[in-house]
Amino acid sequence: MIKVGSTIRTSDQVDLGAMITPLQKICAECDRYQTGECKPPACLVGFALRSLQFAKKKGIMDIPGAASHIPHTDLKHYFVENIVPALAETCRQCRECRDNHSPDCVIALARTCLENAVLEKNIPYPGSVFMYLAMVKKQNPAVAELLAKELQNK
Amino acid sequence: MGMAIFKQSNGMYAVNIVASCGVLTPDQLAGLGKAARDCGVFRLKLTTRQTIVAVLDKEQIPRLVERLPELGLAVSPYGGAVRAVKACAGNAALCPRALGDALDLGIAIQEQYLGREVPKDVKIAVAGCPRGCTDPLCADFGIVARGAGTFDVFLGGRGGSAKPVHGQLLANRVAREDIFPLLNHVLERYTALAQPKERLSAVVARLGLDPFLPPPGLITADDAQETVDEEFLAFLGGKGSDQSG
């Protein structure tokens, strides 16, 4: 069993709270919020939120093996306008690790979940926001435009 | 094993000085500076192996060399010996990108192996992440952190020469404490298999990795898929939406 936090990277370098807030907003507007139907392990937004909250609680950046538990079978409909602010925040917080990128990094976990909610395919993060926008645009120009506007807002 | 003291083109001599993977305290640096002044050192140069070369007149060499131990420094070995270990600033206190503690491992390896006799020079490099700031794939024995206590080991790299070669993966996810028996094994096999003055990279090119593979039980390499922590799964499966931040 690999222990959580099995890298020495800590969450001090990023603002996990900034990514948590827009996800909580999505949850609050969900019909299943605070009902027995709310199942975070089976929900893309719930999984992203719980991953970030767990990382914040533990002060870690990586959750080894977590990427294999992303609920790709979540077929709920998500409104792009709700997802984009959260997706933009993952871009802002990304440390651009490039060759050192880990799919189990909590930022990557959240981004992967949010992409699954609005895009057909996941995008291998190229290490820069500009390149990422170009790749999103290739797949979905409308999402890319909203994302670009959101990133310009702050 | 010789000492790394070489005559230079200008007639002076270069003394290669080793610290702990290039880490010096202010007192060590100030002490070395004072010793260098006292011994008429002409220049000090930082090297690619994280050592310091002092250039001075031949007759001043003994004075400088005898000052080094009190500063916790030493003259680098030369010839058929394990050389100064290169390690990046990867540890919990320094580089924020580090996945594992490379610096402390590098220092521990250097303390244990520096100067050990081998057929030709053996260069070791330790990196705290795959970025590899210390060029671990260009080392005879390259170590790259995969996690806090696990490392990949590459064998047979050679950064210099007209035909540089990258090391090959010898073992992955090796526990920190298993690095030492693995290095012992590699050095023993290298000593047994090398022709006179043959570099480790040449032995690997000639015989392949097989003779260097660790025997069963030597290390506890973990090739299995990483499993997620149960604590995370329990947290993930906790009741309903969590707005607690």
Side-chain angles (χ1 to χ4, degrees):
Chain A
M1 179 67 66
I2 305 291
K3 291 285 182 196
V4 161
S6 69
T7 70
I8 59 172
R9 297 200 304 169
T10 68
S11 59
D12 298 348
Q13 309 294 319
V14 298
D15 185 356
L16 295 179
M19 289 185 285
I20 287 171
T21 302
L23 291 171
Q24 287 175 325
K25 195 175 167 197
I26 297 170
C27 281
E29 292 176 4
C30 177
D31 293 340
R32 302 180 188 194
Y33 179 54
Q34 291 184 336
T35 72
E37 295 297 304
C38 177
K39 295 186 174 14
C43 168
L44 288 165
V45 169
F47 185 94
L49 178 58
R50 284 287 166 92
S51 300
L52 291 164
Q53 288 171 328
F54 185 75
K56 189 179 177 189
K57 180 180 163 192
K58 293 283 181 183
I60 57 176
M61 276 287 286
D62 303 279
I63 307 176
S68 62
H69 288 263
I70 290 174
H72 294 286
T73 51
D74 176 15
L75 300 177
K76 291 196 298 293
H77 176 74
Y78 291 95
F79 291 104
V80 173
E81 313 82 64
N82 291 347
I83 294 294
V84 161
L87 187 56
E89 198 54 47
T90 67
C91 293
R92 290 192 193 98
Q93 296 301 326
C94 177
R95 298 299 94 183
E96 304 193 339
C97 293
R98 297 174 190 257
D99 293 346
N100 209 17
H101 170 78
S102 162
D104 291 327
C105 162
V106 283
I107 298 173
L109 286 171
R111 185 176 55 243
T112 304
C113 288
L114 295 166
E115 282 173 358
N116 282 349
V118 293
L119 296 174
E120 282 183 25
K121 288 186 287 188
N122 281 128
I123 292 171
Y125 195 72
S128 82
V129 173
F130 180 79
M131 292 286 289
Y132 181 67
L133 279 173
M135 292 170 82
V136 174
K137 190 177 179 182
K138 267 188 186 174
Q139 196 180 136
N140 191 324
V143 171
E145 191 179 342
L146 284 170
L147 190 56
K149 277 183 187 166
E150 183 67 30
L151 285 166
Q152 285 168 350
N153 282 345
K154 278 191 184 175
Chain B
M1 179 188 79
M3 303 254 276
I5 300 175
F6 309 104
K7 189 172 185 182
Q8 303 296 290
S9 300
N10 64 0
M12 301 179 97
Y13 280 75
V15 178
N16 195 353
I17 299 164
V18 184
S20 296
C21 295
V23 177
L24 291 155
T25 65
D27 283 347
Q28 279 179 305
L29 191 56
L32 181 61
K34 184 169 187 315
R37 275 186 174 162
D38 294 347
C39 299
V41 168
F42 169 61
R43 290 288 187 272
L44 291 160
K45 185 184 186 307
L46 306 179
T47 75
T48 55
R49 289 219 69 75
Q50 303 178 337
T51 60
I52 300 174
V53 163
V55 181
L56 72 172
D57 289 329
K58 185 179 182 180
E59 55 272 22
Q60 295 288 348
I61 294 173
R63 285 185 65 204
L64 179 67
V65 170
E66 75 178 17
R67 298 276 290 272
L68 297 179
E70 69 196 45
L71 296 169
L73 305 172
V75 178
S76 174
Y78 188 70
V82 175
R83 301 297 177 80
V85 175
K86 287 205 298 187
C88 69
N91 72 10
L94 300 173
C95 179
R97 295 190 188 280
L99 303 176
D101 195 337
L103 183 55
D104 292 30
L105 176 61
I107 291 171
I109 292 172
Q110 181 168 294
E111 284 174 351
Q112 197 167 326
Y113 291 90
L114 182 69
R116 178 177 290 200
E117 289 192 18
V118 281
K120 195 81 174 80
D121 49 312
V122 166
K123 289 165 178 165
I124 299 170
V126 191
C129 75
R131 286 168 182 255
C133 293
T134 48
D135 299 326
L137 268 65
C138 296
D140 294 288
F141 192 87
I143 303 167
V144 181
R146 286 285 299 270
T150 52
F151 299 84
D152 287 349
V153 174
F154 296 84
L155 191 70
R158 183 175 187 177
S161 88
K163 292 180 181 174
V165 58
H166 274 169
Q168 300 173 49
L169 184 64
L170 178 70
N172 62 359
R173 292 185 188 145
V174 180
R176 185 191 191 277
E177 60 271 21
D178 287 342
I179 293 290
F180 297 89
L182 180 59
L183 180 52
N184 279 337
H185 169 73
V186 163
L187 294 180
E188 285 166 11
R189 298 302 294 152
Y190 171 44
T191 302
L193 295 167
Q195 294 168 355
K197 294 185 182 296
E198 188 179 26
R199 280 286 299 263
L200 207 161
S201 59
V203 179
V204 171
R206 180 165 58 84
L207 300 174
L209 274 184
D210 285 356
F212 296 96
L213 291 173
L218 182 71
I219 60 171
T220 50
D222 177 15
D223 290 328
Q225 179 71 30
E226 283 179 330
T227 49
V228 72
D229 191 279
E230 286 171 3
E231 192 182 354
F232 170 65
L233 291 178
F235 185 87
L236 183 64
K239 254 188 153 184
S241 301
D242 186 351
Q243 295 289 296
S244 62

